């Protein structure tokens, strides 16, 4: 599963891990991606989404119908 949020588009960020001796090695900052299942009343079915923790709170606020509209506007398949 890729570390990408379907609603916000959050992807891994890249940077350096810095040791005590100040040597730098590459690292990545992954978003907190969760797989969550929602009931979509307009289509009468469940949808399973890969969302970041922030996006899950957004869905709780705006509702699943509005969130699916935003996801489809981004070109993602639901």
């Amino acid at each position: 599963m890729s570390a990408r949020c379907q609603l916000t588009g959050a992807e891994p960020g890249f940077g350096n891990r810095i040791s005590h001796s100040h040597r730098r090695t590459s690292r990545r900052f992954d978003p907190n991606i969760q797989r969550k299942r929602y009931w979509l009343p307009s289509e009468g079915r469940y949808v399973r989404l890969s969302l970041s923790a922030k996006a899950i709170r957004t869905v709780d606020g705006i509702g699943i119908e509005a969130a699916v509209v935003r996801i489809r506007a981004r070109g993602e398949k639901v």
Side-chain angles (χ1 to χ4, degrees), residues 1 9 22 24 28 35 38-41 53 55 60-61 64 66 75-76:
M1 181 173 73
H22 221 65
R24 293 159 191 251
R28 60 189 261 170
R35 300 251 316 151
Y38 290 98
W39 173 252
L40 195 56
D60 290 343
I64 185 62
E76 297 270 346

Side-chain angles (χ1 to χ4, degrees), residues 30-50:
D30 286 327
N32 185 7
I33 300 295
Q34 309 291 324
R35 300 251 316 151
K36 192 148 170 61
R37 195 174 82 144
Y38 290 98
W39 173 252
L40 195 56
S42 64
E43 297 181 16
R45 68 183 180 105
Y46 284 99
V47 292
R48 190 177 298 276
L49 302 174
S50 294

Side-chain angles (χ1 to χ4, degrees), residues 6-8 38-43 45 47 49 51 58-59 62-78:
Q6 288 183 291
L7 181 61
T8 63
Y38 290 98
W39 173 252
L40 195 56
S42 64
E43 297 181 16
R45 68 183 180 105
V47 292
L49 302 174
L51 301 173
T58 301
V59 171
I62 66 173
I64 185 62
E65 297 289 344
V68 168
V69 169
R70 287 188 192 181
I71 291 170
R72 288 183 173 146
R74 292 186 68 246
E76 297 270 346
K77 186 180 175 190
V78 177

